[in-house]
Amino acid sequence: MSAALAASLTAAPGIAGAQPNPSDTERVATARAYLDALVSHDASAVHFAPDATRVEAGLQTGYSGPQLSRDLETGIQYRVIQQIRDLQISEAGDVVTTRYLLDSGVAGIRLTTVQITETFEIPDGTIHTIVADIVPV
């Protein structure tokens, strides 16, 4: 990937990083929509395959597109997310990889920050698999 493309796929610190970017490919835009939904809890722009899956830290946490959408909108595990920052995105074929810091807390107070690497398989404009690795920082 060229340095210019890498720079255009990197969000500014302190934002969700999912705002539409004219230089995004369809796959990158699809991954950005998912990241935006983590913060906004509005999954209407996220396109999952019906049988989409998600694995987090080696454990399957997503079993279908409808369940993943529901979780993004109403899941308590996502309600504590305050922001995504320092987002970096790369793409290779059908795979989009995102790396970012995620701040979580309650009542506006940040309690923890984790570094997340998520790998999305997006072969046809819909997310088929997400694999998330999480490291406390």
Side-chain angles (χ1 to χ4, degrees):
M1 176 180 349
S2 74
L5 178 58
S8 73
L9 297 178
T10 302
I15 63 171
Q19 295 300 320
N21 183 328
S23 66
D24 282 351
T25 65
E26 179 183 2
R27 287 180 182 88
V28 169
T30 299
R32 277 190 197 271
Y34 172 86
L35 298 177
D36 182 54
L38 287 174
V39 178
S40 71
H41 313 299
D42 176 3
S44 62
V46 182
H47 303 291
F48 288 111
D51 59 348
T53 59
R54 183 172 189 277
V55 174
E56 179 178 314
L59 301 172
Q60 189 166 352
T61 59
Y63 298 89
S64 72
Q67 178 247 320
L68 286 162
S69 291
R70 233 181 355 269
D71 284 357
L72 285 170
E73 292 193 349
T74 63
I76 190 72
Q77 69 273 34
Y78 298 114
R79 291 290 170 186
V80 297
I81 296 173
Q82 295 177 326
Q83 74 173 341
I84 289 172
R85 56 191 170 90
D86 301 340
L87 174 62
Q88 299 175 8
I89 302 175
S90 61
E91 180 178 13
D94 292 344
V95 176
V96 174
T97 302
T98 62
R99 289 182 181 84
Y100 55 90
L101 296 176
L102 182 144
D103 296 325
S104 62
V106 293
I109 299 169
R110 181 172 40 144
L111 299 176
T112 189
T113 299
V114 293
Q115 181 179 355
I116 299 180
T117 300
E118 283 188 295
T119 304
F120 299 83
E121 182 184 342
I122 308 172
D124 58 8
T126 63
I127 298 170
H128 285 246
T129 61
I130 304 169
V131 177
D133 293 310
I134 302 169
V135 178
V137 289

